[in-house]
Amino acid sequence: MILAGILTLAAALGPARAVRAEEAPDPGPETTPPRLSLTDGQVSFWRPGAQDWVPATLNMPLAPGDVLYAGPAGNVEVQIGPHAFARAAYGGQLGLDNQEPDFVQLRATSGYVSVDLRELPPGHAVELDTPGAAFTMDRAGYYHAEVGRDATTLRTHPGGIATMTASRGT
């Protein structure tokens, strides 16, 4: 009698669970946070709300608002996608401003910064904001920016094409 009650309860719960699972909304593609994939030399890290800069830690996940600084002899690399990397060197400052499943927004305020997009799925884009302009990259290629006090230079290499939007007053 008890066994029959358990089977009846299991049969009653089974279809109800299946219906609920089918009706559950699809969470969509998961976004893997950018992570610090390489450091060499002096590399510092700052997170909003922190009192001071601290040494950067390898494999640390980054969140919007985080900033990395590569000292005069330092290099830092951030993996921003399965086949996409951003790097800073020689006094380069690189920040993560926004991250969505199909869009990553980076900020470079000084030094040398490169974006290496070995693959970029259709409909995806990476934006590099500098004091003088924003550069939107929506195809695979290699991009190199030099951010100085008075000017920013962006060079593209094999396959790279960027759209530039000048900052106001520039």
Side-chain angles (χ1 to χ4, degrees), residues 7 19 34 36 51 66 75 81 85 95 101 107 123 126 139 144 163 167:
L7 290 176
V19 170
L36 188 59
Q51 294 294 322
D66 290 351
N75 292 290
F85 304 88
R107 179 176 15 101
V126 175
R139 60 188 293 180
H144 181 266
T163 302
S167 297

Side-chain angles (χ1 to χ4, degrees), residues 115 117 136-143 154-163:
V115 179
L117 304 175
T136 304
M137 301 157 268
D138 60 3
R139 60 188 293 180
Y142 184 81
Y143 305 84
L154 180 78
R155 291 179 300 196
T156 63
H157 298 276
I161 293 178
T163 302

Side-chain angles (χ1 to χ4, degrees), residues 76-135:
V76 62
E77 177 183 81
V78 176
Q79 184 172 9
I80 57 174
H83 305 282
F85 304 88
R87 299 178 184 98
Y90 311 116
Q93 187 169 321
L94 179 66
L96 175 65
D97 283 349
N98 190 9
Q99 179 203 5
E100 298 175 17
D102 59 353
F103 178 73
V104 174
Q105 183 180 21
L106 303 168
R107 179 176 15 101
T109 55
S110 65
Y112 296 91
V113 174
S114 65
V115 179
D116 184 358
L117 304 175
R118 295 175 188 176
E119 287 183 20
L120 193 64
H124 287 68
V126 175
E127 182 177 287
L128 179 64
D129 295 342
T130 69
F135 301 94

Side-chain angles (χ1 to χ4, degrees), residues 25-31 101:
D26 181 13
E30 289 190 31
T31 303

